[in-house]
C-alpha cells in the first residue's frame, strides 16, 4: 500500500466510523474496553507496515470510543462534529499549516480575519475586538485574564510583562462562589492566585447576587462573571455587575467565562439572558462545544485592541516584519494549528440563522427532558434556560445509583455533579445531532433506569 492508498484507507475507515455513530450506544461495552489490551505490545525494533497501525486503531480503538459524536451523549457539554467541520479538519491536517504567521500560511491568516469578523457578527460583540484561537476555554480564560492583568497594571503604572508581578500593585479579583474551576486554574496560571479572590454569594441558580458585591475596594479590580453556569446554565446579571464595577473603580475589567453559554448571544430569543453581556472587556468560549467543531478549539475575545498583542508578542531575529494578523503574537502558543478554518466552515454553512437554530434546538431538547422527568418523580433543580438540566432522583445516594445504572446501561451517557454539597445528575444537550425525538428517548431511558433501582437504592 503506497502513501496515497494509505490515506484513502484512513479516510474510508473514518467515514465508516461516522456513518455508524447514530446507531451505537453512547458508551463502549466491556468487551471493547478489554480489547484495548491489544495495544500493550513492545515497541517494534524496526519499521512495520503502516496499514497495520490503521487496522489496529479501527478494530480496537474505534469500538472503545465514547460516541460523543452521536445524538445520545449528554455529558460534559461535549459537542459532536458537524460533517463540514470534520471535512475541513481533514483538509487542515493535510495542509499541515503552522498558523503562527501569515508568511507561514497566507490561507490561515486570511481565514482568521474572516472567521473573526463572522464570530463577532453572530455573537453581536464589538467589531473591533481581537480574537485568538487556542486549545479550549481554560487557555481562552487565561489569555483574556492575562491581557486584563497587564492592562490594569499598566494603568496603575506597572509593566507586568517586563517587570513581573513581584512588587506590582495588587489586583483585587472578584468571582462568584459558583465560578468554574477553569477560571480558578487560569488565575493560578497568570499569577493572580486561584484562591486569592473575593467570592460573592450566588442565588439558587448559581448567579452572582449583585447586592452582595463588595464595597470600599481600591486599586485595580478584575471581575470574572459567567455566561452559562456549568450545572444550571444560568447567566450572571451583567448590567448590574458592570454598573457596580464602574461605580467602584476607574481601573476595572469585566471578563466573562462563556465556554458554552456565550453562544446564547447568537439566539435573538434569549436576549433576556445576555442583557449587558456586551459591556464586558473580554469573553472566553469554545468552538468544540456548541458550535460542534472538532477538538480542540477555544476562543479568546478581547474588546481592547492591542491588549492580547501586548501580553503575548515575542521578538526574535528571524521573525519577519509584521504582515497582517500574526496569531503567535496574540496567543500563548507560537506554533499552532489553523483552528479558525473549521470555525469558518461551520459559520459559512449555518449562517446567522443556522447558529441561532442550533442554540434553540438544543435548548428545546433540554426543556423537553426536564418536562418529561418532572412528571416521573424527578426533582429538576434549575430553571432550564438553555441546554443544561440539573436533576435529583430522591436522595443524593439514589441519584448516584441512578447515574451508575444509566452508565452501565450505555444507551445514553450523562454524569454526576455536586450541587449545594450533594450529588446531582447533569444532562447537557450539546450535539447538533440531538433531535427532540432523541431528547424524548433520553428521558425515557433515564426513567427506565430509575425504575430498575431497588427501593433500598
Amino acid at each position: 500500500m503506497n502513501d496515497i492508498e494509505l490515506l484513502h484507507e484512513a479516510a474510508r475507515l473514518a467515514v465508516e466510523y461516522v456513518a455508524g455513530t447514530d446507531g451505537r450506544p453512547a458508551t463502549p461495552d466491556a468487551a471493547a474496553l478489554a480489547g484495548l489490551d491489544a495495544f500493550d505490545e513492545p515497541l517494534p525494533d524496526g519499521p512495520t507496515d503502516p496499514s497495520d497501525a490503521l487496522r489496529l486503531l479501527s478494530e480496537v480503538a474505534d469500538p472503545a470510543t465514547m460516541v460523543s459524536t452521536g445524538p445520545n451523549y449528554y455529558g460534559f457539554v461535549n459537542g459532536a462534529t458537524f460533517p463540514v467541520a470534520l471535512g475541513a479538519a481533514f483538509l487542515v491536517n493535510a495542509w499541515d499549516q503552522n498558523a503562527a504567521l501569515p508568511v507561514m500560511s497566507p490561507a490561515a491568516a486570511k481565514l482568521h480575519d474572516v472567521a473573526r469578523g463572522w464570530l463577532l457578527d453572530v455573537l453581536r460583540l464589538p467589531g473591533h475586538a481581537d480574537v485568538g484561537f487556542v486549545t479550549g476555554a481554560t487557555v481562552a480564560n487565561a489569555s483574556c485574564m492575562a491581557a486584563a492583568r497587564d492592562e490594569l497594571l499598566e494603568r496603575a503604572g506597572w509593566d507586568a510583562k517586563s517587570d513581573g508581578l513581584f512588587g506590582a500593585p495588587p489586583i483585587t479579583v472578584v468571582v462568584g462562589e459558583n465560578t468554574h474551576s477553569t477560571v480558578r486554574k487560569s488565575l493560578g496560571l497568570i499569577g493572580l492566585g486561584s484562591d486569592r479572590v473575593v467570592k460573592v454569594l450566588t442565588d439558587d441558580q448559581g448567579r452572582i447576587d449583585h447586592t452582595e458585591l463588595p464595597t470600599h475596594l481600591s486599586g485595580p479590580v478584575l471581575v470574572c462573571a459567567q455566561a452559562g453556569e456549568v450545572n444550571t446554565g444560568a447567566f450572571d446579571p451583567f448590567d448590574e455587575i458592570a454598573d457596580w464595577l464602574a461605580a467602584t473603580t476607574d481601573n476595572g475589567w469585566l471578563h466573562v467565562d462563556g465556554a458554552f453559554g456565550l453562544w446564547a448571544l447568537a439566539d435573538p430569543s434569549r436576549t433576556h439572558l445576555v442583557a449587558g453581556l456586551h459591556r464586558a472587556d473580554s469573553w472566553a468560549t469554545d468552538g468544540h462545544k456548541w458550535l460542534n467543531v472538532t477538538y480542540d478549539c477555544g476562543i479568546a475575545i478581547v474588546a481592547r485592541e492591542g491588549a492580547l498583542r501586548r501580553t503575548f508578542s515575542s521578538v526574535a531575529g528571524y521573525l519577519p516584519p509584521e504582515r497582517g494578523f500574526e496569531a503567535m503574537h496574540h496567543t500563548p502558543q507560537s506554533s499552532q494549528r489553523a483552528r479558525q478554518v473549521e470555525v469558518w466552515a461551520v459559520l459559512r454553512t449555518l449562517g446567522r440563522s443556522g447558529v441561532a437554530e442550533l442554540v434553540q434546538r438544543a435548548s428545546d431538547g433540554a426543556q423537553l427532558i426536564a418536562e418529561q422527568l418532572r412528571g416521573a418523580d424527578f426533582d429538576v433543580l434549575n430553571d432550564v434556560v438553555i441546554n443544561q438540566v440539573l436533576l435529583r432522583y430522591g436522595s443524593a445516594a439514589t441519584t448516584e445509583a441512578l447515574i451508575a445504572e444509566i452508565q452501565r446501561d450505555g444507551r445514553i451517557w450523562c454524569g454526576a455533579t455536586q450541587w449545594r454539597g450533594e450529588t446531582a445528575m447533569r444532562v447537557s444537550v450539546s450535539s447538533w445531532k440531538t433531535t427532540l425525538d432523541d431528547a424524548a428517548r433520553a428521558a425515557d431511558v433515564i426513567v427506565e433506569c430509575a425504575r430498575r433501582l431497588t427501593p433500598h437504592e
Side-chain angles (χ1 to χ4, degrees):
M1 185 177 292
N2 62 35
D3 293 348
I4 301 304
E5 290 171 337
L6 185 75
L7 294 176
H8 278 294
E9 177 64 7
R12 182 186 69 80
L13 294 172
V15 170
E16 283 185 359
Y17 177 84
V18 171
T21 54
D22 288 3
R24 284 176 56 174
T27 58
D29 58 25
L33 295 176
L36 291 172
D37 290 344
F39 289 115
D40 293 330
E41 57 181 350
L43 177 67
D45 289 330
T48 62
D49 187 342
S51 64
D52 285 345
L54 294 183
R55 176 191 55 77
L56 199 61
L57 288 172
S58 179
E59 293 179 358
V60 177
D62 277 10
T65 57
M66 300 292 288
V67 190
S68 54
T69 55
N72 303 313
Y73 190 84
Y74 299 89
F76 298 107
V77 206
N78 280 5
T81 307
F82 275 115
V84 71
L86 181 59
F90 286 172
L91 290 173
V92 168
N93 286 333
W95 297 338
D96 193 26
Q97 300 285 278
N98 185 345
L101 296 168
V103 71
M104 294 178 175
S105 180
K110 180 63 176 180
L111 286 167
H112 177 280
D113 290 343
V114 176
R116 169 195 163 277
W118 287 358
L119 271 171
L120 298 176
D121 182 350
V122 78
L123 293 175
R124 305 162 197 258
L125 293 177
H128 59 265
D130 284 335
V131 174
F133 292 91
V134 292
T135 57
T138 300
V139 178
N141 278 317
S143 298
C144 291
M145 290 191 288
R149 174 201 64 198
D150 292 354
E151 173 72 18
L152 292 171
L153 290 177
E154 183 180 80
R155 294 176 195 165
W158 188 270
D159 186 342
K161 185 171 183 179
S162 296
D163 300 330
L165 298 181
F166 293 103
I171 297 175
T172 300
V173 180
V174 179
V175 303
E177 61 181 352
N178 283 69
T179 192
H180 194 267
S181 60
T182 59
V183 170
R184 297 194 298 273
K185 182 177 182 178
S186 297
L187 288 168
L189 285 172
I190 66 170
L192 296 183
S194 59
D195 294 325
R196 186 191 153 277
V197 296
V198 176
K199 287 187 179 180
V200 182
L201 293 176
T202 55
D203 65 14
D204 64 341
Q205 298 298 302
R207 294 177 291 240
I208 285 177
D209 182 348
H210 68 92
T211 66
E212 296 291 335
L213 287 163
T215 57
H216 309 301
L217 296 181
S218 61
V221 178
L222 168 61
V223 183
C224 300
Q226 286 192 105
E229 202 278 338
V230 72
N231 292 303
T232 67
F235 289 68
D236 282 334
F238 305 110
D239 266 326
E240 289 83 353
I241 295 171
D243 288 343
W244 167 85
L245 185 60
T248 299
T249 179
D250 59 359
N251 191 10
W253 184 292
L254 175 55
H255 170 68
V256 176
D257 172 23
F260 63 95
L262 197 68
W263 292 98
L265 283 166
D267 180 1
S269 71
R270 286 178 165 75
T271 53
H272 61 290
L273 296 176
V274 299
L277 189 49
H278 65 284
R279 296 175 63 184
D281 298 285
S282 58
W283 307 262
T285 192
D286 279 324
H288 56 233
K289 288 186 170 68
W290 230 341
L291 196 61
N292 283 232
V293 304
T294 71
Y295 278 90
D296 53 23
C297 180
I299 305 168
I301 306 172
V302 176
R304 192 171 299 278
E305 291 180 87
L308 283 172
R309 184 177 182 89
R310 174 180 51 210
T311 296
F312 296 114
S313 62
S314 59
V315 177
Y318 58 83
L319 294 178
E322 182 175 344
R323 295 284 189 275
F325 180 82
E326 298 179 317
M328 67 175 288
H329 296 311
H330 292 78
T331 61
Q333 68 269 17
S334 291
S335 297
Q336 51 193 280
R337 74 182 189 91
R339 298 175 176 89
Q340 62 267 31
V341 178
E342 292 180 54
V343 172
W344 170 87
V346 171
L347 291 178
R348 190 180 191 279
T349 301
L350 295 183
R352 191 179 294 106
S353 64
V355 177
E357 196 274 334
L358 178 67
V359 174
Q360 292 165 7
R361 185 171 68 248
S363 302
D364 289 346
Q367 290 172 351
L368 177 61
I369 290 171
E371 289 169 8
Q372 286 191 211
L373 295 180
R374 279 194 192 98
D377 301 324
F378 282 76
D379 294 318
V380 178
L381 306 177
N382 66 318
D383 300 328
V384 183
V385 294
I386 48 172
N387 62 328
Q388 299 295 93
V389 186
L390 187 65
L391 302 162
R392 194 168 282 136
Y393 184 63
S395 66
T398 305
T399 303
E400 289 179 11
L402 173 58
I403 294 166
E405 178 62 20
I406 291 169
Q407 294 179 357
R408 185 203 63 78
D409 178 272
R411 283 176 289 172
I412 68 168
W413 198 96
C414 52
T417 189
Q418 291 295 305
W419 182 250
R420 301 311 190 208
E422 290 192 320
T423 298
M425 182 168 72
R426 187 177 64 151
V427 180
S428 302
V429 186
S430 307
S431 171
W432 71 274
K433 285 189 172 184
T434 302
T435 65
L436 290 180
D437 287 342
D438 293 319
R441 281 193 294 272
D444 289 341
V445 170
I446 292 170
V447 172
E448 182 183 327
C449 289
R451 299 296 183 256
R452 289 204 294 262
L453 299 179
T454 67
H456 298 291
E457 292 174 314

